[in-house]
Amino acid sequence: MIQRKSTQKIIGIFFFLFFILSLTRSAQAEQQTAPLWTPEDVVARPTVAISDISSDGKYTLMGVSYRSIKDGKSIEFSQCTLINNESLEKKIIGDEKNSCVQPYFIKSDEKFTYIIYNNQTYKSVLCVEETGSPKKRQIQEIPSNLINYRFAPDSKSFAFILEESPQTPARSIEGERQDKKQSLYLQKVDVDFQCIGEPQQLTSSKLNMASLSGSSTYIWSPNSQKIALVTQKPGWNLPAAFSLAVLNVDQGTFKTIDETRGVFTSVRFSPDSQKLAFIKGEDFGEQKSPLKPLKDVASTIQIIDLNTGKAESFSAEDIWNIAGWTADGQKIVGIKQVGTKQKIYQFVIQSKELTFKELQDLPVIHSLVFSQNQKHLGFLGENFYHPSELYVTSFEDFNPKQIRTGNEKINLSQIQAKSLKWKSFDGVEIEGILVYPQNYIVGQKVPLIVSIHGGPSAVESEGFVGDTWFGSYCPAVFSSLGYATLVVNYRGSIGYGTKFSNLNYQDLGRGDYQDIMAGIDFLIKEGIADPDQLFITGHSYGGFMTAWAVGHTNRFKAAVMSAGISDWISHVSLTDAPRPMEALFGGFYWDNYDLYRKASPLSYVDDIKTPTLILQGAQDQRVPISQAQQMYQALQGKNVPTQLLLYVNQAHDFSNPLVVIDSLKEKIKWFDKYKK
Amino acid sequence: MVFLRILLGCCMLISICKSSLHAEIQAKDFSPNTIQKQLLATRYISLIELSPDNKHLVLLYTHPNIFSSPQEQSSQWENRVAVKNNYASEKAHEVEFQTKGVVSSPGWTVDSKWISYINQGDKFASLWISPPEEYKPQKILELENNNIIEYRWSPDGKKLAVLVDIPPSNQSAIKINYSIGTPALYVLYIFDVDAKMKISNQILLTPENIAFANNKGNQFNWTPDGQNIVLSHAPLENGKASKFSQISLIPIKTQHLQTIEKGEGTYVSPLVSPDGKFVAYTTNDLPENAQNPIRLYEVDSSRICVTDLKSYEKKCLAKTPNENPFSIGWGKESRSLFVGDQEGNAHHIYELDLDGKALRRLTQDEYSLRCASLNSSRDMISYSAENLQTPSEGYVSPIDPFEPKKVVSALPSLLKNDFVVEKIQWKSKDDKFNLDGLFIYPKTTQQNSSFPLLTILQDYFSFLPPLGYVGDLSFIPLSYAALLEKGYALFIPNRRGSNGYGVQFRQALFKNLGNEDYEDVMTGIDHLIKEKKVDPQKLALWGWGYGGYLTAWTLIQTDRFKALVIGQGIVDPIAQIGTTNEPAFLEAVMGEPYWNDWQIWREKSSLSHIKSAKTPTLLQYGEYAETIFPSQGKELYFPLRTLGVPVQMISYQNQANVFSSPHITLLALQDLEEWLDTHLGFQPPEKKENNK
């Protein structure tokens, strides 16, 4: 009996050895073939953006940005592409030396304009060209600090923003905005697009156009008589005071429509120019102690009748933007987050009915653009396996047509990915996305990199796995090297309703952390994740979550904290955006010191054993470097293996292609070091 | 301690000036007033050394220089080499070298024929010589990729030892591999020198890179026989320098490093006796410090000790009263050593006998000394001295009898010394210490007026000589002359923790920040209000570095002050220890890392009680300060601004731990004065004639 048992055991060991050997062999074979998706691939692909669509739906204007590395330096340039949506014929403007940006149709789509600037000298010209028969004509040189122009729909004038960089002072006074000053100007042109007279400054020298990244701060009314604009009061930036006004262009008069300490985005005129729709950001109001929780200050959609001043307000729950009004003036259309999907919504103003335009195989829609007459739509759509592609359609006969931009050749369907849901400690349902290692065989237990998004009011969607998600981790790169990736829409994320996104109120690092750990346990239970090969990383709030996690468990073999917060008390005074902290904590630390202290990863540094790499942009204003330094000093002091890499010219979002590549490589190097 | 720091000031200038070379700012109409003119005419003697033949003196003057053009203004601190030929005779004449670039370390060759000095130049710091009687510069040594940091001629003048830096390797074009206190690395080379001063035959004396302890002092010297170099260095382990340094000897022949002394402490400034038998050094590795968990060289008791180079027998010499000596050199017969130290507010020179008992103080008057050196025959000492009324001047004295003669006069001052200095004494609240401080106030004809009072809290390791001339510009934005001129009285209390009063006093604030030292300051002010003409309604407080910490602490203790000024102050100790490049001080005074004792760290942060803040506060920080980052100031600015307490924070462009651009220092001084004037509601009395 005893003998038989030991024989079995021996066989067992041999079998095991053989298994190991074969694994090693296949691993070697895998290493010899190039990985499916490398950090270099992440930045090599051009990024497309839709700029305008003609009112007849026949033409699309697109911006394409190229990033490449030459001799260790990153080279970036942009092209404008005019596409005939029927013949798919393309006209490309711009090259490595001269970038083309901001292409728009004018003069009822007969012509289009764009800016060409020299990539070295930034010398810029504004060009106009015929849409049908391309015959380029330069209309004028423009200052290189012109950052945004739009022609009036009647094409008789154009508005533009000039940006003045502040001079470097010998002494800089804290609290005075260091922003570049932005002023709005108007230039009249004749029928040949020659300038008539000097440009006229529309905003006074005291007023500064709001600098909202990725969002235009002014818009023409369809009747060309008005401009709606968002301005920002100068001075102390804590109560960032934004103002939305409508300018009567002929009379030069301003009328303030609304003010907020949050932000205004997606300002859109109704087709008759009589109404304005916009999203009003969370307005915290005057500082009170303790501050109202987030749920009382959520964003709203506002629709204001400019004649009567009558305003209607709707919840903007999980709504990303308003792309425009429908031609009948009855609905507004835009993008809404629904779980891990981004959908086109239409909202009927009268009935408050919200419906979606469902699209097969395109879970993520963005960059929705209406034609001037509101009848045609262009947008970008993507899924796990294919990067963003351009689609155009009539709004009424909704039937999107794919316009191939070159990205269709990319197919990462060798990598499986899926959304999945699990229950957290308190029964709350949490959704996440699992990206399997390349060529995953069912039943394999694999190393898992849990990657945590920032925000916390942000979300992971079912987008292309070959992009950097949250600017910090690329699931396809991890998959190519045998890692699975789990991203988690922990409580506080958007896309699941206001109640869910407020569940983290005064609870940072508690519930959200358990949501993440429950997801990991779920994958272990499912037999996918190897419990002895767990890794964690995250950027910004995700970096905080990473630092928090290693202070609360030793289950992770290694961690990479990227632009994360380690000490909320110092952070709140140093970040350029303290208001969200005030809202999340329900006040500042002097109102509740213990809450801030207990939420700070540094308070748990005594328990940290996990080797932790720290990545940080040296120019980060959102999460300044002291957060990384404090974490590093603590880990060093506790003799925990650590390294802090400071990217010299990098701000909060790791956008420099060199940094994208290097940070991914460093991350992999760190995880590989602690992988079995 | 202060004495030492000031001497180091000469070395520090090299790096300060490097960074300021490109400091350019927009043109500003700048027409200096009398005080500013005087500040810009500042001239310190940072080095004064007799020639080996005792006939001449080499001097290093340090002074601010502002370059103005219609488009831009920039400025820097400059060093200028000068030679006083035949200094003691009627034929004495001074030659100032018209050097371009940043110069340092001037000295004599052993034959007195040449002045040698280091010039930063365009690329790398190189070694130059010039005859003393006429400026005829000649570059004699330049290395391809390294800066020459220091050099020593061998006793016979036939060899040269050169210390060069190793460029840091932790940085690529896109990223820095960050670390705290990564030591700067060096190597030593030995060269042959021929009669025509031609340098040849480079030998690498230190096959492995060397690092120095935090406190650099005097790092290396020749043995009198010219066969060896003695060296103070901090051993390297995994790229980190040990916090304990050691004394080693390297024979030129074998290049085999032998350790002479090491242990649990700092060993600096090795000097071999003229008879070659002993090596003397300064150390805090003493039995009385063993119990002390703090082990911070600047604060510990330290002594001069001597090791017999044959028997390795070690003995320590008499303690200086302040127990923080800095060695100047061995006496003639190898029987004594000359050292400097602070005593009260003044610096003194002492002779310590080798028998370990006797101590003789040579200097009598109350001066701050910036540098002191012994001549080759070891019978004369030269030094520079200054006090509140007199700018930096050069003195030479025989050792026996010690009768100093002024050999270099100060430049004529634009100021009349129309102020009074009084030494104030009072008892600490807990009766533990007799405290003193300086009370300086303007001479006034008005009988019954009382002064607005600015109390000045210096840093823990002050950059300022305690008795520095009031009309001098400093490396930090504070000017006694400008404030006196405005009608303010000044109070400089020596609170516990201050240097000059011995070890017990220096260590009194360990694990006790902001408690008794705050009380010391407040009782001092109360004493002044009671005894002197001080207006209790017009009190202001200024603090720099740790003094800034104490000022931030005061902010939450009392609203007696009408205005506070915090310069480069520590505000949040937890964030400070996590960001500074010099964590040793806080580590030492807090006693435990914060993760071992959250409560005490939290209690020591004024942010924990920030709601009680009421006093208008000005925060002044150098943009690139790395010992105390401007983020410390922002951590106070944000809550005060949000809570509605009047506050202003100004960061000064291109300035680091010390202010390297004099014109920006002047701007910062104006900011300080404006803040005080505004918040004390103080109108200066009738203007005096020289205020135009």
Side-chain angles (χ1 to χ4, degrees):
Chain A
M1 197 64 178
I2 294 164
Q3 212 161 355
R4 274 181 67 186
K5 236 187 181 173
S6 62
T7 319
Q8 267 181 352
K9 207 172 173 185
I10 287 165
I11 293 167
I13 289 168
F14 270 109
F15 179 75
F16 184 67
L17 269 180
F18 175 76
F19 182 67
I20 296 271
L21 282 172
S22 59
L23 265 185
T24 325
R25 249 182 244 131
S26 67
Q28 277 167 353
E30 244 176 49
Q31 271 170 13
Q32 280 154 13
T33 57
L36 182 64
W37 199 250
T38 66
E40 283 81 2
D41 291 328
V42 176
V43 298
R45 182 173 55 81
T47 349
V48 293
I50 176 163
S51 187
D52 206 355
I53 183 162
S54 67
S55 288
D56 56 9
K58 276 188 188 162
Y59 292 96
T60 309
L61 281 168
M62 199 172 73
V64 186
S65 316
Y66 294 85
R67 302 183 290 181
S68 60
I69 314 282
K70 249 185 205 168
D71 307 326
K73 280 184 185 156
S74 102
I75 295 166
E76 296 174 52
F77 71 97
S78 313
Q79 289 179 335
C80 303
T81 310
L82 174 71
I83 303 170
N84 183 321
N85 295 341
E86 280 152 19
S87 67
L88 297 184
E89 207 179 314
K90 285 180 195 164
K91 179 179 166 54
I92 295 168
I93 303 155
D95 52 38
E96 279 188 39
K97 283 181 187 151
N98 295 293
S99 278
C100 176
V101 291
Q102 300 181 30
Y104 300 113
F105 291 109
I106 58 164
K107 197 115 193 186
S108 316
D109 310 327
E110 276 172 31
K111 300 188 180 196
F112 66 102
T113 62
Y114 50 87
I115 289 173
I116 294 268
Y117 69 85
N118 184 293
N119 291 338
Q120 255 102 51
T121 63
Y122 296 105
K123 207 172 159 183
S124 310
V125 283
L126 181 64
C127 303
V128 61
E129 204 168 305
E130 301 218 354
T131 309
S133 56
K135 207 172 77 186
K136 193 195 281 188
R137 190 148 63 97
Q138 176 180 316
I139 61 164
Q140 67 174 0
E141 263 187 43
I142 50 169
S144 56
N145 59 341
L146 185 153
I147 56 162
N148 193 335
Y149 78 97
R150 280 317 283 263
F151 269 86
D154 65 9
S155 303
K156 287 179 183 164
S157 58
F158 65 91
F160 61 92
I161 289 175
L162 279 191
E163 184 179 73
E164 293 160 51
S165 297
Q167 288 168 338
T168 316
R171 48 203 276 295
S172 66
I173 296 173
E174 188 68 19
E176 287 183 5
R177 282 196 156 280
Q178 312 286 311
D179 290 356
K180 294 164 177 173
K181 175 150 178 65
Q182 296 188 354
S183 306
L184 186 65
Y185 289 81
L186 182 78
Q187 174 68 60
K188 292 206 161 89
V189 292
D190 63 16
V191 284
D192 297 320
F193 295 97
Q194 295 299 314
C195 293
I196 308 172
E198 292 293 309
Q200 175 197 350
Q201 188 170 347
L202 297 177
T203 52
S204 73
S205 55
K206 278 185 194 161
L207 217 54
N208 196 11
M209 295 297 288
S211 55
L212 309 172
S213 57
S215 160
S216 177
T217 54
Y218 71 94
I219 188 164
W220 283 94
S221 66
N223 65 8
S224 301
Q225 287 170 3
K226 298 168 197 158
I227 293 174
L229 66 162
V230 182
T231 57
Q232 199 167 9
K233 283 183 191 154
W236 175 227
N237 65 358
L238 177 65
F242 291 95
S243 171
L244 172 65
V246 170
L247 166 75
N248 185 313
V249 178
D250 285 341
Q251 294 165 7
T253 52
F254 279 93
K255 190 177 166 193
T256 302
I257 303 296
D258 202 355
E259 284 184 333
T260 179
R261 284 162 202 271
V263 288
F264 293 110
T265 52
S266 295
V267 181
R268 300 284 180 262
F269 278 99
S270 62
D272 63 2
S273 303
Q274 304 306 311
K275 286 181 184 165
L276 209 53
F278 55 90
I279 295 176
K280 186 179 182 179
E282 294 148 354
D283 189 345
F284 301 100
E286 290 296 327
Q287 144 112 49
K288 284 186 195 99
S289 292
L291 195 80
K292 288 185 284 185
L294 265 176
K295 61 179 183 296
D296 296 333
V297 290
S299 303
T300 52
I301 292 174
Q302 302 280 333
I303 293 175
I304 286 180
D305 187 314
L306 294 173
N307 298 317
T308 64
K310 195 183 145 233
E312 285 181 279
S313 177
F314 309 96
S315 162
E317 180 177 283
D318 298 334
I319 282 182
W320 282 114
N321 61 26
I322 304 168
W325 297 63
T326 51
D328 58 9
Q330 301 298 311
K331 299 170 199 159
I332 54 169
V333 178
I335 305 284
K336 186 178 194 287
Q337 186 77 33
V338 184
T340 51
K341 297 182 168 59
Q342 289 176 15
K343 297 182 176 179
I344 300 173
Y345 73 85
Q346 53 176 341
F347 178 70
V348 185
I349 296 164
Q350 191 80 42
S351 66
K352 301 185 181 68
E353 184 196 4
L354 185 82
T355 52
F356 296 99
K357 298 274 188 191
E358 297 288 349
L359 284 162
Q360 279 292 315
D361 299 329
L362 287 180
V364 174
I365 308 289
H366 50 101
S367 304
L368 189 64
V369 170
F370 264 106
S371 62
Q372 179 67 45
N373 65 359
Q374 323 276 339
K375 285 188 174 158
H376 285 86
L377 273 181
F379 59 83
L380 299 175
E382 61 183 287
N383 60 29
F384 287 136
Y385 315 109
H386 301 286
S388 288
E389 278 283 30
L390 173 62
Y391 295 83
V392 292
T393 179
S394 149
F395 184 73
E396 287 307 321
D397 308 317
F398 193 81
N399 184 19
K401 176 183 179 184
Q402 186 182 353
I403 310 287
R404 292 174 173 243
T405 57
N407 282 339
E408 70 278 359
K409 289 168 211 148
I410 299 169
N411 183 339
L412 289 184
S413 52
Q414 270 174 277
I415 297 170
Q416 285 178 59
K418 66 176 183 192
S419 289
L420 63 170
K421 290 180 179 170
W422 61 88
K423 286 259 163 41
S424 188
F425 72 105
D426 54 358
V428 171
E429 188 173 73
I430 303 297
E431 190 170 23
I433 295 168
L434 172 66
V435 182
Y436 291 91
Q438 180 187 342
N439 304 326
Y440 177 76
I441 300 158
V442 178
Q444 253 184 332
K445 282 186 185 174
V446 292
L448 177 72
I449 300 174
V450 187
S451 303
I452 313 300
H453 72 70
S457 47
V459 64
E460 297 285 10
S461 304
E462 298 174 24
F464 180 53
V465 294
D467 280 336
T468 44
W469 291 14
F470 242 87
S472 170
Y473 35 83
C474 174
V477 169
F478 295 161
S479 293
S480 303
L481 297 164
Y483 293 95
T485 305
L486 173 69
V487 300
V488 182
N489 289 332
Y490 52 83
R491 63 193 63 198
S493 301
I494 51 177
Y496 302 90
T498 308
K499 192 183 164 209
F500 184 84
S501 68
N502 284 332
L503 274 182
N504 60 351
Y505 177 67
Q506 294 193 329
D507 194 40
L508 306 185
R510 302 270 163 195
D512 44 11
Y513 165 68
Q514 296 200 55
D515 296 342
I516 294 163
M517 297 313 286
I520 295 168
D521 289 337
F522 176 70
L523 291 186
I524 291 170
K525 216 174 106 197
E526 294 283 297
I528 298 165
D530 178 348
D532 295 327
Q533 295 202 75
L534 301 175
F535 304 92
I536 187 164
T537 184
H539 192 75
S540 194
Y541 187 84
F544 153 74
M545 228 38 259
T546 305
W548 176 275
V550 295
H552 286 80
T553 179
N554 296 324
R555 288 175 69 186
F556 297 106
K557 286 287 165 289
V560 181
M561 169 196 185
S562 182
I565 294 111
S566 56
D567 177 359
W568 290 109
I569 289 175
S570 63
H571 178 69
V572 78
S573 292
L574 301 176
T575 176
D576 65 348
R579 298 291 291 197
M581 257 61 78
E582 192 188 11
L584 285 164
F585 284 102
F588 286 118
Y589 65 81
W590 46 89
D591 298 319
N592 199 339
Y593 190 95
D594 283 336
L595 197 62
Y596 271 73
R597 186 40 74 214
K598 281 180 185 160
S600 296
L602 283 191
S603 303
Y604 309 95
V605 75
D606 223 15
D607 301 325
I608 300 182
K609 303 219 162 39
T610 315
T612 303
L613 169 69
I614 307 166
L615 305 177
Q616 175 72 37
Q619 305 302 323
D620 194 339
Q621 302 295 314
R622 188 59 42 90
V623 181
I625 63 166
S626 55
Q627 294 301 314
Q629 290 172 316
Q630 285 188 253
M631 190 69 187
Y632 176 80
Q633 186 264 346
L635 293 174
Q636 280 257 306
K638 296 297 299 175
N639 289 318
V640 177
T642 185
Q643 191 179 12
L644 164 53
L645 299 176
L646 281 177
Y647 290 103
V648 274
N649 289 318
Q650 186 57 63
H652 189 56
D653 296 318
F654 285 7
S655 54
N656 177 338
L658 290 168
V659 175
V660 172
I661 294 171
D662 192 77
S663 60
L664 280 170
K665 285 185 172 168
E666 291 290 352
K667 227 170 238 189
I668 294 159
K669 208 165 88 186
W670 192 259
F671 290 145
D672 278 354
K673 194 170 155 185
Y674 297 98
K675 198 170 83 164
K676 259 195 241 169
Chain B
M1 172 170 59
V2 172
F3 189 12
L4 178 63
R5 278 271 161 164
I6 294 160
L7 286 165
L8 284 174
C10 314
C11 319
M12 264 186 309
L13 270 178
I14 303 169
S15 54
I16 292 164
C17 296
K18 263 189 228 165
S19 68
S20 72
L21 279 175
H22 303 289
E24 290 168 359
I25 63 151
Q26 285 309 116
K28 244 195 166 179
D29 287 332
F30 181 61
S31 48
N33 61 27
T34 309
I35 298 282
Q36 288 171 328
K37 276 183 194 156
Q38 170 58 38
L39 293 174
L40 291 176
T42 295
R43 188 180 79 170
Y44 307 134
I45 300 172
S46 326
L47 180 142
I48 176 167
E49 232 175 74
L50 277 162
S51 57
D53 61 10
N54 292 330
K55 286 182 185 161
H56 320 291
L57 282 168
V58 65
L59 297 148
L60 188 67
Y61 292 127
T62 301
H63 62 99
N65 198 0
I66 293 194
F67 318 95
S68 280
S69 73
Q71 286 78 34
E72 63 195 26
Q73 198 174 45
S74 65
S75 65
Q76 65 183 33
W77 282 92
E78 287 184 354
N79 283 338
R80 189 57 67 85
V81 177
V83 184
K84 192 129 190 173
N85 288 290
N86 303 307
Y87 79 96
S89 80
E90 284 170 12
K91 295 184 291 178
H93 71 284
E94 196 170 310
V95 178
E96 217 176 282
F97 288 8
Q98 302 302 312
T99 43
K100 284 172 192 157
V102 179
V103 297
S104 59
S105 304
W108 294 94
T109 54
V110 292
D111 55 8
S112 301
K113 280 186 183 164
W114 303 94
I115 298 291
S116 50
Y117 57 93
I118 295 170
N119 193 333
Q120 173 57 39
D122 293 333
K123 277 188 192 162
F124 292 99
S126 47
L127 186 62
W128 295 65
I129 53 169
S130 166
E133 60 276 5
E134 193 185 355
Y135 179 52
K136 278 188 183 165
Q138 190 183 327
K139 193 194 296 181
I140 55 166
L141 181 62
E142 183 170 31
L143 299 167
E144 236 166 75
N145 292 309
N146 310 77
N147 288 300
I148 295 177
I149 303 297
E150 227 0 307
Y151 65 93
R152 301 275 187 275
W153 301 105
S154 67
D156 63 2
K158 290 181 178 165
K159 285 194 188 307
L160 175 67
V162 175
L163 181 73
V164 307
D165 66 357
I166 303 293
S169 61
N170 65 340
Q171 189 167 359
S172 75
I174 63 161
K175 68 180 176 211
I176 298 166
N177 191 354
Y178 175 86
S179 66
I180 307 159
T182 298
L185 297 175
Y186 304 89
V187 290
L188 267 170
Y189 288 113
I190 303 292
F191 294 90
D192 288 341
V193 186
D194 72 7
K196 291 177 179 165
M197 298 304 288
K198 212 172 153 242
I199 308 278
S200 61
N201 199 14
Q202 173 174 339
I203 300 170
L204 179 62
L205 194 63
T206 49
E208 285 173 27
N209 294 340
I210 47 173
F212 298 109
N214 275 347
N215 205 313
K216 289 185 184 110
N218 182 346
Q219 295 135 345
F220 67 104
N221 283 299
W222 288 91
T223 54
D225 59 6
Q227 301 296 314
N228 314 282
I229 292 287
V230 284
L231 175 72
S232 153
H233 63 112
L236 284 164
E237 245 176 70
N238 301 327
K240 297 267 174 204
S242 163
K243 66 174 180 175
F244 299 139
S245 55
Q246 63 181 54
I247 303 292
S248 300
L249 184 133
I250 315 174
I252 309 300
K253 265 190 195 155
T254 64
Q255 294 131 45
H256 183 73
L257 186 140
Q258 298 162 233
T259 303
I260 305 290
E261 276 299 343
K262 68 172 180 181
E264 306 269 290
T266 306
Y267 288 82
V268 290
S269 301
L271 290 170
V272 178
S273 57
D275 61 10
K277 286 183 182 163
F278 304 100
V279 59
Y281 42 83
T282 318
T283 183
N284 66 340
D285 189 12
L286 305 169
E288 56 265 44
N289 290 334
Q291 305 296 320
N292 177 0
I294 284 135
R295 304 317 309 271
L296 190 61
Y297 176 77
E298 289 86 343
V299 180
D300 274 346
S301 170
S302 60
R303 293 172 82 167
I304 305 290
C305 300
V306 169
T307 297
D308 186 312
L309 284 169
K310 273 203 180 127
S311 67
Y312 289 92
E313 208 177 298
K314 175 181 168 181
K315 64 176 170 184
C316 292
L317 310 191
K319 283 181 181 176
T320 50
N322 190 41
E323 300 184 43
N324 204 333
F326 180 75
S327 57
I328 297 169
W330 279 89
K332 213 171 182 175
E333 316 289 341
S334 301
R335 284 204 296 258
S336 67
L337 253 117
F338 297 97
V339 301
D341 201 347
Q342 191 173 334
E343 204 176 316
N345 282 313
H347 293 133
H348 288 290
I349 297 172
Y350 306 85
E351 183 174 12
L352 311 177
D353 280 359
L354 201 57
D355 68 12
K357 284 170 199 152
L359 169 140
R360 180 165 73 103
R361 194 172 94 182
L362 302 181
T363 43
Q364 299 309 320
D365 299 327
E366 299 248 304
Y367 282 110
S368 278
L369 308 185
R370 278 181 196 272
C371 50
S373 75
L374 202 61
N375 66 342
S376 300
S377 47
R378 301 174 188 278
D379 51 5
M380 311 262 274
I381 281 185
S382 52
Y383 60 94
S384 82
E386 66 191 292
N387 62 24
L388 294 159
Q389 291 89 352
T390 324
S392 176
E393 296 183 316
Y395 289 85
V396 171
S397 173
I399 279 164
D400 202 10
F402 194 79
E403 284 168 356
K405 280 203 183 79
K406 193 200 293 181
V407 291
V408 184
S409 299
L411 297 173
S413 175
L414 300 170
L415 305 180
K416 295 173 180 169
N417 283 341
D418 45 4
F419 58 88
V420 181
V421 181
E422 284 182 29
K423 192 168 174 183
I424 304 292
Q425 289 177 310
W426 71 99
K427 194 103 186 152
S428 71
K429 197 176 177 182
D430 58 5
D431 268 357
K432 269 193 198 160
F433 295 104
N434 290 315
L435 301 167
D436 69 30
L438 295 170
F439 179 54
I440 313 173
Y441 56 95
K443 274 182 194 161
T444 172
T445 49
Q446 287 159 311
Q447 283 302 310
N448 293 318
S449 68
S450 57
F451 298 107
L453 180 74
L454 179 69
T455 300
I456 290 166
L457 304 178
Q458 287 292 3
D459 197 357
Y460 208 77
F461 313 125
S462 176
F463 289 111
L464 296 181
L467 297 174
Y469 176 55
V470 296
D472 276 350
L473 189 68
S474 160
F475 302 124
I476 61 175
L478 180 70
S479 162
Y480 293 178
L483 294 161
L484 289 166
E485 171 73 19
K486 286 219 149 201
Y488 291 96
L490 307 172
F491 176 44
I492 303 116
N494 286 314
R495 62 187 194 263
R496 69 193 72 186
S498 303
N499 190 28
Y501 300 86
V503 173
Q504 260 206 318
F505 197 73
R506 271 207 298 279
Q507 297 186 344
L509 55 71
F510 284 139
K511 291 192 117 178
N512 200 17
L513 301 185
N515 291 344
E516 280 97 3
D517 52 350
Y518 165 75
E519 292 297 344
D520 291 348
V521 175
M522 297 310 284
T523 48
I525 293 172
D526 287 338
H527 178 83
L528 276 182
I529 291 171
K530 215 169 111 194
E531 306 282 326
K532 303 288 169 185
K533 286 191 225 165
V534 165
D535 183 347
Q537 297 307 315
K538 287 187 166 50
L539 300 178
L541 188 62
W542 177 99
W544 186 270
Y546 177 74
Y549 167 82
L550 212 47
T551 308
W553 186 253
T554 307
L555 173 67
I556 57 158
Q557 305 298 328
T558 178
D559 51 7
R560 285 180 69 185
F561 295 96
K562 290 288 177 291
L564 304 177
V565 180
I566 296 174
Q568 227 110 288
I570 298 171
V571 168
D572 175 354
I574 291 173
Q576 165 66 13
I577 194 92
T579 51
T580 178
N581 64 355
E582 278 183 24
F585 168 71
L586 255 191
E587 264 168 24
V589 293
M590 294 303 291
E592 301 267 4
Y594 59 81
W595 48 84
N596 287 354
D597 195 345
W598 276 98
Q599 199 49 35
I600 185 156
W601 281 76
R602 177 184 164 167
E603 275 312 306
K604 292 304 167 196
S605 163
S606 42
L607 298 182
S608 305
H609 313 279
I610 198 62
K611 272 184 154 176
S612 22
K614 289 189 179 64
T615 316
T617 303
L618 172 68
L619 296 150
Q620 297 184 302
Y621 285 75
E623 180 187 21
Y624 294 134
E626 289 188 329
T627 301
I628 299 170
F629 277 84
S631 57
Q632 287 291 310
K634 289 182 187 175
E635 279 200 55
L636 191 53
Y637 174 81
F638 180 78
L640 292 184
R641 179 80 198 240
T642 309
L643 291 166
V645 179
V647 60
Q648 188 171 39
M649 167 149 176
I650 309 178
S651 309
Y652 296 92
Q653 187 200 14
N654 281 334
Q655 306 309 295
N657 298 331
V658 292
F659 278 34
S660 57
S661 309
H663 76 282
I664 291 183
T665 313
L666 290 182
L667 284 178
L669 280 173
Q670 282 178 357
D671 293 332
L672 159 68
E673 289 170 33
E674 266 172 38
W675 191 258
L676 295 179
D677 291 352
T678 306
H679 293 281
L680 267 64
F682 175 62
Q683 295 293 320
E686 59 197 77
K687 298 279 174 186
K688 283 161 241 152
E689 51 177 322
N690 62 354
N691 185 26
K692 278 181 187 150

